[in-house]
Amino acid sequence: VLQVAPASITTVETNVLPSGGECSIVGDLQVLQPYTVQCSGWSNDAQFNSMYNGVRLSDAFIDDAADIFSVGPPGQVTVMILIRSRAYLDAIACYPIEAHFRNNQTAEEFFQNAATIADGTRNVGLLSIVATATADAGQSGLLSVEQAQDIYAVVTDQIVSDSKATATNASADDIANDFAAVSAIASSPEFIGDETIATLTEEYLEDRYDAIDNLVANEAIGSDKLGRMMSSVVNMLDGLLSTLGEEGRLSTDDNNALANKIVDRVTECSSIALTQARPGRSVTFSSASTTVSGTKFIADNESMQVPPSCGVDTQSIVIPPTFLESQA
């Protein structure tokens, strides 16, 4: 969770969101089968994307919503269509579509379909849908635990091996999207086998840490994008620790090592956010194992009427004047 306390703000201006149009889903709504999005009534410069379960389906916004490729997730869901204008790239409207996707496949048909999709794409949006559908099939008894674990292993390997999040020009949104996709995997611990655990703990985390460090070193990140990215990092790490820390998943030593690594990264998240923030702002990152809070201020003791404080609830301190004097 990222909490940002703004400094003195007197005026807020926002761009006008796209409006006036509508979107719908067309096709035989079956789990893991392709469907088409149709949109009309929007401005001529509108661009589109789609999101399911917090993960974008396309790496970039596209001019024709019908070109968005996706497959059906399981059951009654909300598919979010994202619309923006080329004139205001950060003003994005959300158009929710309620839909029910049926699963009439046999166990063999579903397994082959899921494995084929997972093995043939590096799109994290599609891979997260495959993971969600696989978990649903496993929980309903359509797939065995072993079959679900096999599909999870392919999905995880595809995400780790070639995600846009690891590219040298990866954006904060790319990394946040990547973490959201892995969260879909971490949310169903019963289908995470030894191969998936090894991939996530030995390859994935370090690769993504490097991607974040590279992003911070080479790009001036807007505070809103930074907040979303860091929140995704913390949420995913929390979920991963909870998943892998269950009885029998990791040894005590491995679990403690992963917990310490997450604490270090939560602290790093707070440090990065403070570095990017304006003086007067506070950030707080909370995970299952720790809470890190920080405040950025200008150490000018003479003009500061109220000493800054740092911390959360009862675990907070007021910065002493002697520290302010030594840092001025």
Side-chain angles (χ1 to χ4, degrees), residues 139 149 152 184-193 197 239 242-244 246 249:
Q139 290 163 355
Q149 288 181 349
Y152 260 41
I185 297 173
S187 64
S188 298
E190 63 270 37
F191 305 125
I192 297 181
I197 290 176
S242 176
T243 296
L244 303 184
E246 291 191 356
R249 290 294 176 178

Side-chain angles (χ1 to χ4, degrees), residues 2-293:
L2 170 63
Q3 299 173 337
V4 179
S8 177
I9 298 178
T10 56
T11 302
V12 176
E13 296 182 358
T14 61
N15 296 322
V16 178
L17 293 175
S19 61
E22 59 182 11
C23 297
S24 61
I25 291 178
V26 179
D28 184 19
L29 305 186
Q30 295 280 345
V31 175
L32 295 186
Q33 296 299 316
Y35 64 85
T36 301
V37 175
Q38 291 186 349
C39 295
S40 60
W42 305 94
S43 62
N44 291 333
D45 69 342
Q47 294 181 311
F48 304 90
N49 206 331
S50 180
M51 177 179 288
Y52 169 71
N53 207 21
V55 186
R56 286 181 286 112
L57 271 298
S58 177
D59 289 336
F61 279 76
I62 56 182
D63 294 337
D64 188 348
D67 290 335
I68 299 173
F69 179 78
S70 184
V71 295
Q76 185 70 30
V77 300
T78 299
V79 176
M80 192 68 68
I81 308 302
L82 309 178
I83 307 101
R84 75 177 186 186
S85 167
R86 293 190 193 93
Y88 303 105
L89 299 183
D90 289 331
I92 300 174
C94 299
Y95 191 100
I97 301 176
E98 300 293 328
H100 183 81
F101 291 86
R102 306 178 305 279
N103 188 4
N104 298 327
Q105 302 167 86
T106 65
E108 182 178 355
E109 290 171 340
F110 183 95
F111 181 84
Q112 292 298 328
N113 194 17
T116 299
I117 295 173
D119 192 51
T121 185
R122 301 289 173 83
N123 181 302
V124 294
L126 292 178
L127 291 168
S128 70
I129 291 176
V130 172
T132 303
T134 298
D136 181 78
Q139 290 163 355
S140 69
L142 180 64
L143 293 182
S144 67
V145 172
E146 291 75 16
Q147 287 176 314
Q149 288 181 349
D150 287 344
I151 295 174
Y152 260 41
V154 176
V155 168
T156 306
D157 185 65
Q158 292 290 77
I159 292 177
V160 170
S161 61
D162 189 22
S163 168
K164 191 175 180 181
T166 59
T168 54
N169 62 343
S171 68
D173 285 341
D174 292 331
I175 297 176
N177 205 50
D178 182 272
F179 278 120
V182 173
S183 294
I185 297 173
S187 64
S188 298
E190 63 270 37
F191 305 125
I192 297 181
D194 292 342
E195 185 176 348
T196 301
I197 290 176
T199 300
L200 290 175
T201 57
E202 295 173 11
E203 299 179 55
Y204 180 81
L205 289 182
E206 290 304 321
D207 286 347
R208 294 327 185 253
Y209 292 156
D210 291 342
I212 293 173
D213 290 339
N214 181 68
L215 177 68
V216 173
N218 295 286
E219 181 180 339
I221 310 171
S223 59
D224 57 338
K225 291 184 178 181
L226 179 67
R228 290 198 301 271
M229 181 183 71
M230 293 305 181
S231 294
S232 295
V233 173
V234 173
N235 291 336
M236 192 282 296
L237 293 179
D238 269 349
L240 189 60
L241 179 61
S242 176
T243 296
L244 303 184
E246 291 191 356
E247 184 176 358
R249 290 294 176 178
L250 290 175
S251 68
T252 301
D253 289 343
D254 288 343
N255 188 50
N256 289 338
L258 182 59
N260 289 332
K261 184 179 294 185
I262 291 174
V263 170
D264 290 342
R265 292 299 172 171
V266 171
T267 304
E268 183 177 350
C269 288
S270 180
S271 176
I272 292 172
L274 281 176
T275 300
Q276 301 286 329
R278 294 188 181 93
R281 291 200 173 191
S282 298
V283 296
T284 298
F285 288 96
S286 297
S287 73
S289 54
T290 187
T291 296
V292 177
S293 178

